[in-house]
Amino acid sequence: MTNAASQLPTVKLIINGEFVESSSREWRDIINPATQEVIARVPFATPDEINAAVSAAKEAFTTWRKAPIGTRARIFLKYQQLIRENMKELAAILTAEQGKTLPDAEGDIFRGLEVVEHAANIGNLQMGELANNVAGGVDTYTLLQPIGVCAGITPFNFPAMIPLWMFPMAIACGNTFVLKPSEQDPMVTMRLVELALQAGIPPGVLNVIHGGEQAVNAICDHPDIKAISFVGSTKVGTHVYHRGTLAGKRVQCMMGAKNHAVILPDANKQQTINSLVGATFGAAGQRCMAVSVALLVGDAKDWIADLVSTAKTLKVNAGTEPGTDVGPVISCAAYDRVATMIERGIAEGAKLELDGRNPKVPGYEKGNFIGPTIFSGVKPGMTIYDQEIFGPVLCLATVATLQEGIAMINANPNGNGTAIFTQSGAAARVFQEEIDIGQVGINVPIPVPVPLFSFTGSRASKLGDLGPYGKQVITFYTQTKTITQRWFDDSTLSAGVNTTIAL
Ligand code: NAD
């Protein structure tokens, strides 16, 4: 579909500091998921536009790589201030295109803001090491140098936080960047990029292209892009990892999830139920760290009725309405996928304890709403257990012991997040030691690490060994160079040629 004759606002590309109207013939509507109103149109950038963005980033790297630490740090100090000042506006854009509640949208932005604050510490983070006298009169030290043009590919579910996981740290390290936001909700990302330019990021250092599969493949193949950060589904991330690494790039991919919570009967009951309900149904279950399976150990199996009654108290409504707990899912396609999963769950023998399909949402009858949905009696082999639903659906399973729960979680292919609820330190310690999952919570339902640490993941949830923010990403976005130096003075002059392997 072309953009000709459309009166809707268009989302621009950003190339070399300029907002550019795409000449693409292929455009996509950005739709408010609570109302189905088309709020803007986003282009699928042409190959020439993608190449222009990468060229601008390559050219800007020649100067930006030498920018002093203070220059880089002060831009991110200014940027965090601009994000704070524009928080309400950013949240309103996010909710309009993504659907999550306004307070949750502010949370999405805030978790990204924390990475911006961390990027402002770049002077302390990008430091090398030095060993004095590794041989007589010889020192060795390391430089952590930027690698060049880096690219980011982001999902729809955190359109503020996840782009902010990527470009601030890459740019703070002295790299330049090409970002490809989710084509489903790129508008808040664009406003964040605009604020970054306003904070002083020079032309060409941060560029934005839009699109889907073709743009992503172009990023994977482009010889001038040195590294790719990807967050999204396991299917696409695995493709990006293989295609990007085959082209010689560094690639880090944070991918899909099936996050289990383990509930021991000694846990604080109401606290645990509140945590589970919040972590499962918040953002309509569209968080990669959402709890989607709860394993009820022993007598915790008797908590189902209370869990269901707490879930029933949640208000399903548009994200802009005060008091909303659960907004719409992102698209009609997402709605259909979740509804189909619920039907499969029933057909495959799970017990539907709470049916959230077709909730009444006065004033928003066209919205993609699904209320909290709970199945019990869920087992491996059922579709609702084996696949990521990415909607407000909680699967309950019972296990006899903690060890049985650990074995079940470790047998699931995904390893993004997990949490244990217990008052027993000994049980929690066994869990933390034996579980093969990237993020582990102990009485913390969504244990996303702050940027003093790095996000991680095990098995099918992650490819590449370094996480997307925190200390690990400094390693990802820099090339370590070791310098071994000797300076001659009268005491260190050597006598003649030495052909052995010594310094
Ligand atoms: P997605 O994989 O569909 O899209 C991610 C990105 O890939 C988008 O920019 C999209 O344009 C692009 N893309 C889509 N299809 C493609 C294709 N066929 N070829 C190449 N590129 C393609 O993911 P999504 O639906 O936007 O996001 C939800 C998924 O992301 C869930 O699986 C969720 O668990 C995961 N996620 C993971 C994390 C994490 O940190 N592990 C965080 C957030 C989301």
Side-chain angles (χ1 to χ4, degrees):
M1 208 189 306
T2 76
N3 193 45
S6 167
Q7 296 305 308
L8 287 162
T10 55
V11 180
K12 307 293 186 276
L13 310 170
I14 299 182
I15 301 174
N16 206 22
E18 302 288 333
F19 286 75
V20 178
E21 178 85 1
S22 175
S23 62
S24 180
R25 294 169 61 80
E26 196 184 348
W27 292 72
R28 179 192 163 107
D29 291 342
I30 301 168
I31 297 170
N32 181 325
T35 61
Q36 307 303 342
E37 179 199 359
V38 180
I39 49 183
R41 311 200 73 211
V42 61
F44 283 48
T46 66
D48 284 349
E49 289 164 345
I50 296 171
N51 286 336
V54 178
S55 293
K58 188 181 180 189
E59 175 60 27
F61 182 64
T62 59
T63 48
W64 182 247
R65 64 189 285 271
K66 297 177 191 157
I69 289 170
T71 304
R72 286 179 271 145
R74 278 189 286 275
I75 286 175
F76 291 100
L77 284 171
K78 174 76 179 163
Y79 188 31
Q80 64 80 30
Q81 179 199 345
L82 288 174
I83 294 174
R84 282 176 201 282
E85 287 171 5
N86 291 278
M87 180 65 89
K88 296 282 177 211
E89 182 213 340
L90 289 162
I93 298 171
L94 200 163
T95 295
E97 63 181 343
Q98 205 276 351
K100 65 178 70 175
T101 68
L102 285 169
D104 202 32
E106 288 198 28
D108 185 334
I109 298 157
F110 182 78
R111 293 309 299 261
L113 172 65
E114 290 182 310
V115 181
V116 176
E117 291 170 339
H118 202 234
N121 286 317
I122 191 64
N124 293 320
L125 296 171
Q126 199 179 353
M127 296 201 359
E129 296 174 311
L130 185 145
N132 191 212
N133 288 323
V134 293
V138 178
D139 305 321
T140 296
Y141 57 92
T142 57
L143 306 179
L144 305 188
Q145 296 195 307
I147 51 181
V149 181
C150 302
I153 301 162
T154 57
F156 80 84
N157 66 326
F158 280 98
M161 177 183 80
I162 291 176
L164 292 174
W165 279 5
M166 298 179 181
F167 70 78
M169 294 304 288
I171 290 171
C173 287
N175 300 290
T176 56
F177 209 82
V178 177
L179 177 66
K180 197 221 70 76
S182 170
E183 68 278 34
Q184 298 194 75
D185 50 9
M187 294 172 70
V188 69
T189 316
M190 289 301 287
R191 182 72 182 118
L192 282 164
V193 169
E194 189 177 6
L195 293 175
L197 301 184
Q198 200 179 321
I201 290 182
V205 172
L206 176 55
N207 307 275
V208 184
I209 58 164
H210 300 289
E213 183 174 355
Q214 283 180 6
V216 168
N217 287 341
I219 287 171
C220 292
D221 297 344
H222 202 297
D224 291 333
I225 293 176
K226 304 299 176 199
I228 302 173
S229 297
F230 171 91
V231 179
S233 63
T234 302
K235 180 168 168 267
V236 178
T238 304
H239 164 76
V240 167
Y241 188 82
H242 290 144
R243 192 156 174 157
T245 52
L246 198 63
K249 302 179 201 319
R250 294 181 185 188
V251 186
Q252 55 173 201
C253 295
M254 306 297 131
M255 304 184 289
K258 195 79 184 177
N259 304 314
H260 296 59
V262 176
I263 320 301
L264 295 192
D266 69 353
N268 181 310
K269 186 175 172 187
Q270 198 53 51
Q271 198 67 40
T272 302
I273 287 175
N274 291 346
S275 295
L276 268 182
V277 167
T280 303
F281 303 118
Q286 300 171 116
R287 294 180 180 137
C288 69
M289 289 287 283
V291 170
S292 49
V293 181
L295 302 182
L296 306 172
V297 181
D299 289 345
K301 68 179 182 314
D302 299 331
W303 297 10
I304 294 176
D306 289 334
L307 195 50
V308 169
S309 62
T310 302
K312 276 184 180 168
T313 65
L314 298 186
K315 291 196 178 59
V316 180
N317 207 339
T320 46
E321 296 295 333
T324 299
D325 298 300
V326 180
V329 295
I330 182 75
S331 63
C332 296
Y335 177 93
D336 290 344
R337 196 196 61 245
V338 176
T340 302
M341 288 283 222
I342 295 171
E343 282 159 25
R344 292 283 286 272
I346 298 165
E348 290 175 0
K351 182 176 175 202
L352 188 57
E353 301 274 358
L354 179 61
D355 186 355
R357 289 173 295 176
N358 305 313
K360 298 276 165 288
V361 186
Y364 299 95
E365 284 75 11
K366 293 183 182 164
N368 312 317
F369 294 100
I370 304 179
T373 297
I374 300 179
F375 280 106
S376 65
V378 177
K379 296 188 175 67
M382 292 180 176
T383 310
I384 53 170
Y385 181 80
D386 291 347
Q387 292 185 19
E388 185 180 30
I389 300 175
F390 223 57
V393 181
L394 177 62
C395 297
L396 300 175
T398 50
V399 289
T401 63
L402 173 60
Q403 284 300 340
E404 199 185 316
I406 291 172
M408 190 165 161
I409 296 171
N410 287 348
N412 188 284
N414 298 287
N416 206 41
T418 189
I420 185 169
F421 292 88
T422 180
Q423 296 289 71
S424 162
R429 194 163 190 290
V430 166
F431 187 73
Q432 106 187 357
E433 291 296 307
E434 295 187 11
I435 207 75
D436 185 6
I437 298 286
Q439 273 75 223
V440 180
I442 298 175
N443 298 313
V444 173
I446 303 194
V448 175
V450 296
L452 300 173
F453 302 89
S454 300
F455 198 88
T456 177
S458 289
R459 301 176 282 134
S461 294
K462 182 173 177 229
L463 284 168
D465 56 349
L466 297 167
Y469 57 81
K471 286 180 196 153
Q472 290 183 15
V473 96
I474 302 290
T475 308
F476 183 77
Y477 286 136
T478 59
Q479 174 65 44
T480 303
K481 191 181 273 181
T482 63
I483 316 291
T484 299
Q485 69 170 5
R486 166 186 280 156
W487 298 99
F488 297 107
D489 62 26
D490 288 347
S491 67
T492 54
L493 287 176
S494 55
V497 176
N498 182 353
T499 58
T500 61
I501 193 174
L503 289 166

